[in-house]
Amino acid sequence: MTPRCYMLAVLAAACILTLLCSHGAPVSPTGAHLMLCQSHTRCGSKFYDPQQHCCYDDAVVSLGRTQKCGNCTYRVCFEQCCPWSDRRQETFVVKVKGQKCFLALSSDDRVCSSVS
C-alpha cells in the first residue's frame, strides 16, 4: 500500500468510530467486554450504567430500589437514612444523599419515626 492508501484507511476508520460514538453504541455489555462509547462507572469490580443503576453498599442496584427507614421508605440511589436524636423516641431522618446526617433539618428532609 502506498502512504496515500494508509491515510485513507486511517481517515475511514476515524469516520466510522466517530459515527459509532455519535449515535451511541448499544448500552448492554456483552460478557466481560464493554461496548465502545458507553458511559459506565465502576462499583467495586463491576461496571454499571449510571442512567439505570447506582452503587449502593458495594452492590449495583436499580435506580428505583427502595429501603425502609423507620416508618418511611427512601430511594437508596438518591437519599440516605440518618439516625436522629429525639428524646421522646428513636427517630430517623431521610436526607438527600451527600448531605451530612448531623446537619439541621431542612425543608427537603423527611422525619420518620421508628417502627416498634
Side-chain angles (χ1 to χ4, degrees):
M1 269 189 175
T2 65
R4 184 177 222 169
C5 290
Y6 284 120
M7 290 296 289
L8 285 173
V10 169
L11 185 59
C15 287
I16 290 171
L17 184 62
T18 302
L19 284 172
L20 280 174
C21 290
S22 67
H23 289 88
V27 177
S28 303
T30 56
H33 306 301
L34 292 175
M35 298 296 292
L36 192 60
C37 309
Q38 289 177 313
S39 72
H40 277 73
T41 309
R42 286 182 72 115
C43 179
S45 62
K46 296 183 178 181
F47 286 95
Y48 67 95
D49 180 354
Q51 293 180 335
Q52 297 178 1
H53 300 92
C54 75
C55 187
Y56 174 73
D57 202 21
D58 291 327
V60 176
V61 298
S62 159
L63 288 180
R65 169 110 179 247
T66 60
Q67 194 161 313
K68 292 299 243 177
C69 178
N71 66 341
C72 296
T73 301
Y74 72 102
R75 301 167 301 162
V76 300
C77 294
F78 306 105
E79 300 171 312
Q80 60 186 336
C81 182
C82 301
W84 192 255
S85 173
D86 185 352
R87 295 178 190 172
R88 291 167 287 174
Q89 66 179 13
E90 186 178 354
T91 307
F92 298 94
V93 174
V94 174
K95 289 186 166 279
V96 174
K97 200 165 204 160
Q99 284 186 343
K100 304 287 186 201
C101 284
F102 60 83
L103 292 177
L105 291 175
S106 74
S107 60
D108 293 333
D109 298 338
R110 287 182 288 141
V111 178
C112 311
S113 60
S114 82
V115 179
S116 300

